[in-house]
Amino acid sequence: MNSFLRNLTTSQQIGALFIVVFGVLSLATLWGFFRSLREHASDDPQAEAHAQEVKRFWGLIKTSWVMATVFWIGWALGDTVATVLFAIVGFFALREFITLSPTRRGDHRSLVLAFFVVLPLQFTIVGSRMFDLFTVFIPVYVFLALPVVSALANDPERFLERNAKLQWGIMVCVYGMSHVPALLLLDFPGYREKGAFLVFFLVFVVQTCMLVQHLVGQRFPHKPVAPQVSQSFQWASWLAGVAAGGLAGGLLSFITPFKPGQALGMALLACFAGSLGHLVMKALKRDRGVTSWGMQGMSVTGAGGLLDRVDALCFAAPVFFHSTRWYFGL
């Protein structure tokens, strides 16, 4: 299988991977659809648990479809369009985050700066391949500039809390998301113009980790680690998810510049960061008193927002990107 794929052109390799991925997703979707047809009586004590289980499963399936579709569109339309596409994803993710964070009139200047200056500049720097500047632009310059702009608005009430929330939103939704198109633009000796495989590798291993973690936790429930934050996060299922994601990464080493052991290690890092980042975002949602991001997330039964689909990726991408650059000395 590996030798067969290596003999194909880059476009043929990506096409073959897409056929496999979309085929697996289609089968999983059909399986979930037929499974959801199981009827439960309204007075069945297991009805509510079943409904929550189905909801979480469909959330993971939708996330996988979104990631696969975005990846395919980005690859098909080229690096520039892919960068713009992920910038749009970051924009709407940040909008969802800010919508659920209380703001005051004094924050308007900072919000304008975040949405219409910081975000486009960050992705422009990515598209220009200025990776050293891209790495420090938000953590250094933006983190210093935002409080200054807020202070000039002459509104000191809850100043630290308001600025911390905005900075955290920018860090996750803009800084984290911008590392995905950055992977597309990385070039290695003997691995040029194949950055799309790195994005595919990252998305696949993280989604494998999250899906296995959910399924194992559902099939073999244990005591939750942090029940006030998440009833579904358990050490056993988390370890199983990370291990499955790492194994998937090792098996996909032939599409990356890594050897099997290196790919396994990189996949474990990505899964570790993504799964724990997802837990952190759950804690933020509990703090805001919602179950999902987006305007519909204000209700318990509302569908999840875009940020629910990409939160794990926003944490995994920076870790994977900088670990890859460090390893190859880029």
Side-chain angles (χ1 to χ4, degrees), residues 16-225:
L17 289 174
F18 275 127
I19 291 174
V20 173
V21 171
F22 282 111
V24 171
L25 285 177
S26 298
L27 291 176
T29 302
L30 287 174
W31 178 80
F33 172 75
F34 288 114
R35 190 167 182 267
S36 66
L37 295 179
R38 293 168 54 188
E39 296 184 357
H40 288 255
S42 58
D43 56 349
D44 189 344
Q46 296 183 346
E48 184 177 352
H50 174 74
Q52 290 298 321
E53 171 191 323
V54 171
K55 181 180 177 181
R56 285 194 297 269
F57 176 79
W58 279 114
L60 286 169
I61 291 295
K62 289 177 182 178
T63 301
S64 302
W65 275 110
V66 169
M67 290 294 98
T69 303
V70 168
F71 170 72
W72 181 82
I73 293 174
W75 168 78
L77 298 182
D79 295 341
T80 301
V81 175
T83 303
V84 173
L85 179 62
F86 283 107
I88 294 173
V89 173
F91 179 92
F92 285 108
L94 181 60
R95 179 179 177 273
E96 289 183 353
F97 186 94
I98 297 300
T99 298
L100 297 182
S101 301
T103 57
R104 293 172 55 84
R105 187 178 185 85
D107 297 322
H108 290 179
R109 296 178 184 178
S110 298
L111 291 173
V112 170
L113 180 67
F115 280 99
F116 301 107
V117 178
V118 173
L119 188 148
L121 269 179
Q122 176 75 358
F123 282 90
T124 299
I125 294 171
V126 171
S128 302
R129 300 174 187 258
M130 296 186 289
F131 294 133
D132 290 334
L133 177 59
F134 144 76
T135 299
V136 300
F137 175 63
I138 286 179
V140 178
Y141 299 105
V142 172
F143 268 42
L144 293 174
L146 283 175
V148 173
V149 174
S150 295
L152 291 174
N154 194 33
D155 184 3
E157 185 173 344
R158 299 169 65 186
F159 182 83
L160 178 60
E161 179 183 354
R162 286 158 38 211
N163 278 275
K165 289 175 180 176
L166 179 56
Q167 289 174 328
W168 182 251
I170 292 175
M171 195 69 182
V172 173
C173 304
V174 181
Y175 187 75
M177 182 56 64
S178 66
H179 284 77
V180 180
L183 282 172
L184 287 170
L185 303 175
L186 277 181
D187 280 330
F188 307 92
Y191 193 79
R192 298 190 181 279
E193 299 182 355
K194 293 186 177 181
F197 286 114
L198 285 178
V199 178
F200 176 87
F201 177 87
L202 174 65
V203 173
F204 188 84
V205 299
V206 172
Q207 285 305 112
T208 298
C209 169
M210 300 304 296
L211 183 60
V212 171
Q213 180 181 345
H214 168 76
L215 294 176
V216 173
Q218 169 191 332
R219 184 68 178 84
F220 306 102
H222 289 76
K223 182 179 179 181
V225 177

Side-chain angles (χ1 to χ4, degrees), residues 253-288:
S253 62
F254 61 91
I255 67 170
T256 73
F258 308 118
K259 296 177 181 178
Q262 298 166 346
L264 172 65
M266 289 295 182
L268 288 174
L269 277 175
C271 293
F272 183 86
S275 57
L276 294 183
H278 182 69
L279 178 67
V280 170
M281 297 303 286
K282 280 191 174 184
L284 291 176
K285 287 187 289 186
R286 298 299 178 267
D287 177 63
R288 297 266 58 85

